[in-house]
């Protein structure tokens, strides 16, 4: 495979050297005193030093966003949609340079990078369509009043996005919030501030977005906390770990802000005894190993009927052994690097603990930092960390069950409730089992990893607080309802 060099696509028409030189995007492109160094997780190569937002930067940005919001909300829907569609065009036109950053900054393989750019454009176009939808409803009223419920923008929305899918997981909040008349502050993750933030700023800039309607504030904990505290920010949409989500929920909720939390997962991939094991092992492999398992929907548990377990484990291990691991910026691989050394050490610790406790290692198991091979663990028990904790690495723990009821009981025995999948040859049996799973989404005859810009996405329990992103469901998420009544004649009262 011929791989493009850094000088060929690192910068281009969208991502320029100027924006990579200590800048944030707030009140235009602004230099900051602090810088955020960006490194390639596969090689530790220094890629850029972008601006790092401080608390005062966020507080100033929130004021600018509040000032810009009324005019943006008053902008006709078709004009807002046109800007969102033009932003999608800008991202697609610059896909090669953005994909370069997704590979080198985020550690994704080239197929993942291309997929992410395309899906991000879809998020923008789907959000643009929201501007043509209804903004309220007429309610029944016994006294002859005209009674209406009208949808209005929340105001200023703070979006805190992660590094693993930095474009999609930011844009699924950013795009509908903007489409519905809100202004947005995006706090992108310090691992991926270019593809997850500054590239968006340039795309919106090219599309003609009015100043301060969308701002980008790269950084770590400090700007995130400031978004949760800024009085002008009315809503916080956070995607990330459950641990961090609890902190965001407490801080933002304590400041009486609306909070949408999309958090971690420990999703079960359930293989029934009538499944096509060749195809099931393919879906199971993808669900656990795609993007090194660094996905909230990843198949963190493989629940397999005891009658087909040996065959499934054998095929899953064979697939794991065939998947090449390495630097996606230099060679064609299926798995790239784990995002940082702390995380790869944690993955190794969980695998080692499982093996010491009696799990059978069927594939992989030993990392070579910054890489970790696809790993299959059989004979896993319900008290092991590998079974209970979100690993966020390419590890497939496998457990058997004897009947459908036992599969449901084991799958629901977790604090998480994001995704699930049932692999069977019977649609009816799949639906019956899916209805019993305590998750926000379930996929039948497919992987746990599947998303759609038009479908409601969100989890339960430690996976989220009930928010839903996608399609018309985003209208409820990013607007508030105002009740308005009109009397046929001026009212009077005996007071």
């Amino acid at each position: 495979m011929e791989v493009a060099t850094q000088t060929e696509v690192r910068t281009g028409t969208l991502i320029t050297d100027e924006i990579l030189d200590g800048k944030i995007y707030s009140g235009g492109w602004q230099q900051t005193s602090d810088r955020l160094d960006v490194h390639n997780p596969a090689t530790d190569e220094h890629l850029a030093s972008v601006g790092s937002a401080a608390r005062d930067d966020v507080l100033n940005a929130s004021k600018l966003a509040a000032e810009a919001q009324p005019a943006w909300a008053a902008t006709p829907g078709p004009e807002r949609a046109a800007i969102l569609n033009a932003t999608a065009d800008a991202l697609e036109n610059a896909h090669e340079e953005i994909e370069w950053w997704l590979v080198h900054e985020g550690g994704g393989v080239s197929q993942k990078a291309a997929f992410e750019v395309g899906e991000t454009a879809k998020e923008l176009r789907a959000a643009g369509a929201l501007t043509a939808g209804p903004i309220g409803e007429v309610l029944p009223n016994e006294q002859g009043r005209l009674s209406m419920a009208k949808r209005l923008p929340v105001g200023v929305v703070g979006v805190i996005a992660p590094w693993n899918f930095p474009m999609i997981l930011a844009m699924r909040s950013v795009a509908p919030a903007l489409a519905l008349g809100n202004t947005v502050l995006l706090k992108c993750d310090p691992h991926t501030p270019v593809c997850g933030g500054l590239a968006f700023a340039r795309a919106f800039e090219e599309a003609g977005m009015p100043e301060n309607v969308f701002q980008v504030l790269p950084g770590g904990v400090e700007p995130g906390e400031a978004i949760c505290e800024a009085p002008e920010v009315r809503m916080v949409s956070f995607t990330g770990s459950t641990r961090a989500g609890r902190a965001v929920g407490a801080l933002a909720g304590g400041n009486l802000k609306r909070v949408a939390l999309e958090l971690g997962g420990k999703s079960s991939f359930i293989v029934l005894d009538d499944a096509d094991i060749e195809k099931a092992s393919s879906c199971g492999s993808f669900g656990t190993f795609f993007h090194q398992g660094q996905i909230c929907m990843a198949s963190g548990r493989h629940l397999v009927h005891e009658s087909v377990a040996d065959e499934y484990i054998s095929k899953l291990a064979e697939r794991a052994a065939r998947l090449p691991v390495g630097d996606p910026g230099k060679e064609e691989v299926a798995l790239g690097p784990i995002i940082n050394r702390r995380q790869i050490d944690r993955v190794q610790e969980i695998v080692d603990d499982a093996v010491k406790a009696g799990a059978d290692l069927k594939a992989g198991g030993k990392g070579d930092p910054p890489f970790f091979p696809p790993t299959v663990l059989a004979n896993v028990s319900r008290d092991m960390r590998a079974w209970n904790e979100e690993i966020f690495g390419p590890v497939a723990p496998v457990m058997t069950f004897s009947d459908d009821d036992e599969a449901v009981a084991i799958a629901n025995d977790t604090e998480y409730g994001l995704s699930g999948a049932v692999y069977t040859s019977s649609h009816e049996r799949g639906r019956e089992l899916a209805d019993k799973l305590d998750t926000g989404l379930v996929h039948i005859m497919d992987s746990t990893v599947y998303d759609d810009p038009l479908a409601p996405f969100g989890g339960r329990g430690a996976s989220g607080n009930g928010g839903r992103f996608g399609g018309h469901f985003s209208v409820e998420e990013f607007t508030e309802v105002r009740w308005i009544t009109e009397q046929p004649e001026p009212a009077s009262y005996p007071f």
Side-chain angles (χ1 to χ4, degrees):
M1 176 182 178
E2 184 177 344
V3 179
T5 64
Q6 176 175 332
T7 55
E8 287 174 334
V9 291
R10 177 179 181 270
T11 59
T13 59
L14 194 73
I15 300 170
T16 63
D17 287 329
E18 182 182 2
I19 72 167
L20 300 176
D21 184 24
K23 301 284 200 322
I24 63 173
Y25 188 66
S26 177
W29 292 98
Q30 301 292 333
Q31 200 89 32
T32 59
S33 55
D34 293 330
R35 293 196 171 210
L36 183 62
D37 289 327
V38 184
H39 293 88
N40 183 332
T43 64
D44 203 36
E45 173 191 5
H46 182 269
L47 300 175
S49 292
V50 304
S52 181
R55 176 180 175 81
D56 287 346
D57 294 318
V58 174
L59 298 180
N60 181 62
S62 66
K63 291 181 172 61
L64 295 175
E67 293 170 0
Q69 194 272 327
W72 176 244
T75 301
E79 293 183 25
R80 296 199 302 269
I83 291 176
L84 294 177
N85 285 317
T87 304
D89 292 340
L91 294 176
E92 289 172 334
N93 291 337
H95 71 93
E96 288 186 354
E97 53 188 287
I98 299 173
E99 289 168 20
W100 188 95
W101 282 95
L102 285 164
V103 170
H104 290 78
E105 184 183 33
V109 299
S110 59
Q111 295 89 340
K112 184 261 188 188
F115 168 80
E116 186 159 7
V117 175
E119 289 298 300
T120 302
K122 288 181 185 178
E123 292 282 355
L124 283 155
R125 300 191 198 283
L130 297 176
T131 64
I135 59 171
E137 57 185 302
V138 177
L139 307 174
N141 186 268
E142 295 179 354
Q143 299 177 344
R145 290 179 171 90
L146 174 61
S147 181
M148 299 173 287
K150 185 177 182 181
R151 287 280 174 185
L152 301 171
V154 173
V156 180
V157 175
V159 176
I160 302 175
W163 52 263
N164 57 327
F165 277 79
M167 298 185 71
I168 295 174
L169 299 183
M171 196 54 70
R172 73 176 180 193
S173 291
V174 169
L178 291 171
L180 296 165
N182 303 284
T183 50
V184 173
L185 307 181
L186 171 61
K187 203 290 287 184
C188 45
D189 192 272
H191 287 97
T192 51
V194 180
C195 58
L198 301 180
F200 290 153
R202 281 287 296 117
F204 277 117
E205 190 177 42
E206 280 198 2
M209 179 68 77
E211 191 170 83
N212 299 324
V213 170
F214 174 73
Q215 300 175 67
V216 177
L217 304 157
V221 174
E222 182 179 342
E225 290 181 341
I227 282 176
C228 294
E229 294 171 340
E232 294 84 3
V233 176
R234 298 286 299 277
M235 174 184 177
V236 178
S237 178
F238 172 85
T239 302
S241 70
T242 298
R243 178 189 57 78
R246 294 184 194 277
V248 169
L251 186 56
N255 284 289
L256 303 182
K257 302 180 191 296
R258 180 189 293 191
V259 188
L261 302 174
E262 199 281 284
L263 309 176
K266 191 67 174 176
S267 301
S268 292
F269 179 68
I270 302 173
V271 181
L272 302 186
D273 53 357
D274 61 352
D276 180 323
I277 300 303
E278 185 69 33
K279 293 179 179 179
S281 64
S282 171
C283 280
S285 177
F286 174 79
T288 296
F289 304 139
F290 181 57
H291 196 39
Q292 299 81 264
Q294 299 172 132
I295 307 174
C296 60
M297 295 179 284
S299 301
R301 293 172 158 186
H302 293 242
L303 269 166
V304 188
H305 192 276
E306 59 190 10
S307 67
V308 296
D310 288 345
E311 182 184 1
Y312 178 83
I313 292 169
S314 176
K315 289 186 179 297
L316 185 65
E318 289 173 7
R319 291 181 182 278
R322 291 199 303 263
L323 294 172
V325 181
D327 181 356
K330 295 179 180 177
E331 56 186 326
E332 187 170 6
V333 295
L335 282 77
I338 300 296
I339 191 63
N340 57 42
R341 184 57 188 255
R342 177 174 57 84
Q343 177 58 17
I344 198 171
D345 288 345
R346 180 177 177 274
V347 174
Q348 186 68 68
E349 180 182 282
I350 290 174
V351 171
D352 290 345
D353 286 351
V355 173
K356 289 177 183 176
D360 294 331
L361 186 64
K362 298 296 186 179
K366 184 64 177 177
D368 181 15
F371 307 105
F372 202 92
T375 296
V376 178
L377 294 170
N379 195 32
V380 174
S381 61
R382 294 171 72 169
D383 59 351
M384 292 180 182
R385 291 178 64 194
W387 190 253
N388 293 300
E389 296 184 20
E390 182 179 35
I391 301 175
F392 235 59
V395 180
V398 185
M399 185 181 294
T400 64
F401 63 88
S402 59
D403 58 43
D404 292 6
D405 288 340
E406 184 183 14
V408 170
I410 297 173
N412 286 341
D413 184 21
T414 175
E415 66 173 340
Y416 295 103
L418 183 53
S419 184
V422 182
Y423 213 93
T424 172
S425 62
S426 167
H427 290 93
E428 181 180 1
R429 190 178 175 194
R431 286 192 295 268
E432 182 178 348
L433 197 150
D435 286 341
K436 298 176 182 178
L437 295 179
D438 190 16
T439 60
L441 44 147
V442 185
H443 304 302
I444 300 170
M445 299 189 188
D446 203 348
S447 165
T448 59
V449 179
Y450 178 65
D451 197 3
D452 185 331
L454 301 179
F457 186 95
R460 301 179 180 182
S463 292
N465 64 343
R468 291 295 180 268
F469 308 99
H472 68 275
F473 301 95
S474 292
V475 175
E476 184 172 345
E477 199 68 44
F478 294 104
T479 62
E480 295 177 340
V481 178
R482 175 178 293 164
W483 182 36
I484 305 171
T485 68
E486 290 182 16
Q487 281 276 30
E489 299 292 337
S492 63
Y493 294 88
F495 278 77

